[in-house]
Amino acid sequence: MGFFAHSQASRAAALGVTALLTAALAACGGQADAGSGQIVVKLVDPGNYGPLAYAKKNNSFDGPLAELNARVEWGGTYASFTATTDAIHSGAVNFAEGAFSPALGYLATSDDIKVVAVKDVVTDPRAGAGDGLIVPPDSPIKSVQDLRGKRVAVNKAGRGEYLLLLALKEAGIPADQVQRVYLQQDQAASAFTSGQVDAWVAIVRAFPQAVAKGARVVFRGRDLPSDDLNMFVARTDLLARNPEVVRTLVRVLSGLDEKEKAEPEAFQNVFTDQGPAAATGLQLENNIAIGRYDNVLRLPQPADEARLTGVSTVFTENKVLPENPDPKTVFHDWGGAK
């Protein structure tokens, strides 16, 4: 801990400083409370639709977590997993939804998260599509072949960049023949509307919103042989305190996924059906179709390791990431639990 003081006064001063530091760490949720007290699961604000929004409104996590001396705390709003990475790294968010692709981008520089649950890729053509390459309605771009020399907005080392690189690979187009413009979803929306980019691989909630406003779809993520599973990650310090808390979160969300498949309308406009946060028209129809045909959250299986490597290989081949990680270090080991 440093050195021992040789006088009573020095010892008292040292103890006083230690007490202050301990109190400060505890106040900000730091390492001082890592082994005792209530566990706080820190989640992003889920917005107005989907299982997390439903869980927030109906306090779905409260009872199961209370049995484990844990609770949830809802935080800020982020457009995608890549936009959330600073909050995850700081500990302001410790359980988050995303996909393999942005998780790999995060893990290239940090090792404080583990993939704890996944969803299989949705291939049903009746499903609403949550991502894809879009262009203005009057754009001359009709296919991936037309992207040569064009500027395409993507989120760096995330699903947008992965889907673009995968589409180019499938079409036999060298990636360097298309200019990738790295923008977060809110920035990309502005650049797309103002014509600063020719196309945009829109993801998460930005895709159905843009399509509802008239953007034309060139390809959807489900049209490609994608290995990029949706998933949840947990910070390693949350897992270290009590992995059963994380397993409980996954169990509750899996149940909500089942419920949403049966009653997708109940998971739309959860907090309000008025104003900009409310989904209407084509966007609402798309959201309902997403919920009805989405797959159910589950714990990872050995076959998921190969899919993770499939995503990372697309990145390493294009020098987005320096190397493929060992999948066994990326997934949390649930010990064979289903």
Side-chain angles (χ1 to χ4, degrees):
M1 184 179 181
F3 60 88
F4 287 102
H6 294 291
S7 70
Q8 188 67 28
S10 296
R11 283 195 295 271
L15 288 170
V17 170
T18 300
L20 287 172
L21 286 172
T22 300
L25 284 167
C28 65
Q31 295 177 348
D33 68 346
S36 63
Q38 190 177 50
I39 296 174
V40 180
V41 178
K42 301 175 183 178
L43 301 165
V44 302
D45 186 280
N48 198 32
Y49 67 88
L52 281 172
Y54 187 97
K56 181 180 180 181
K57 182 176 182 179
N58 294 283
N59 303 313
S60 303
F61 295 127
D62 290 5
L65 289 184
E67 297 178 7
L68 300 168
N69 192 27
R71 64 179 176 85
V72 296
E73 181 179 283
W74 302 94
T77 301
Y78 304 89
S80 66
F81 184 91
T82 50
T84 316
T85 52
D86 286 344
I88 295 172
H89 191 61
S90 71
V93 172
N94 59 14
F95 184 74
E97 185 175 12
F100 281 171
S101 48
L104 287 166
Y106 182 95
L107 287 163
T109 57
S110 302
D111 60 358
D112 54 7
I113 61 169
K114 296 282 187 181
V115 176
V116 295
V118 300
K119 284 187 177 183
D120 293 310
V121 172
V122 176
T123 58
D124 193 313
R126 296 170 295 178
D131 44 46
L133 183 104
I134 58 174
V135 295
D138 58 350
S139 170
I141 298 172
K142 306 296 184 183
S143 71
V144 177
Q145 295 290 341
D146 299 326
L147 293 177
R148 288 184 175 90
K150 303 300 184 182
R151 293 165 52 87
V152 182
V154 297
N155 58 321
K156 181 176 175 60
R159 175 164 279 183
E161 185 166 26
Y162 168 74
L163 290 177
L164 177 61
L165 291 172
L166 182 60
L168 295 175
K169 181 178 181 179
E170 291 292 302
I173 301 172
D176 61 6
Q177 292 187 10
V178 177
Q179 183 178 352
R180 283 166 274 161
V181 181
Y182 292 135
L183 298 169
Q184 294 292 357
Q185 295 301 285
D186 54 347
Q187 300 168 326
S190 176
F192 181 78
T193 301
S194 62
Q196 297 176 56
V197 294
D198 302 297
W200 172 24
V201 183
I203 61 172
V204 197
R205 303 186 177 193
F207 179 82
Q209 290 171 352
V211 172
K213 293 177 181 178
R216 179 161 51 82
V217 179
V218 177
F219 68 76
R220 299 171 187 263
R222 69 165 182 256
D223 298 331
L224 300 171
S226 172
D227 285 316
D228 198 18
L229 301 186
N230 288 340
M231 50 97 233
F232 274 84
V233 301
R235 276 183 54 95
T236 53
D237 51 4
L238 176 61
L239 285 163
R241 289 197 63 185
N242 189 348
E244 193 59 32
V245 168
V246 177
R247 193 199 301 258
T248 298
L249 294 168
V250 174
R251 176 173 55 79
V252 172
L253 285 169
S254 295
L256 291 176
D257 283 343
E258 294 279 13
K259 183 177 177 64
E260 185 181 26
K261 288 172 71 68
E263 308 172 50
E265 295 83 1
F267 289 73
Q268 308 304 316
N269 296 331
V270 172
F271 291 100
T272 180
D273 58 4
Q274 303 290 325
T280 58
L282 290 176
Q283 185 180 349
L284 179 58
E285 292 177 16
N286 183 78
N287 290 355
I288 291 173
I290 288 174
R292 178 170 285 122
Y293 299 105
D294 196 10
N295 287 312
V296 176
L297 192 68
R298 60 171 174 81
L299 297 181
Q301 301 170 358
D304 300 325
E305 295 181 4
R307 305 204 71 156
L308 182 86
T309 298
V311 177
S312 64
T313 298
V314 170
F315 280 156
T316 54
E317 287 176 346
N318 291 280
K319 298 180 171 55
V320 176
L321 298 179
E323 60 183 357
N324 288 342
D326 179 357
K328 296 189 184 304
T329 68
V330 174
F331 292 95
H332 178 67
D333 183 3
W334 288 111
K338 299 296 184 182

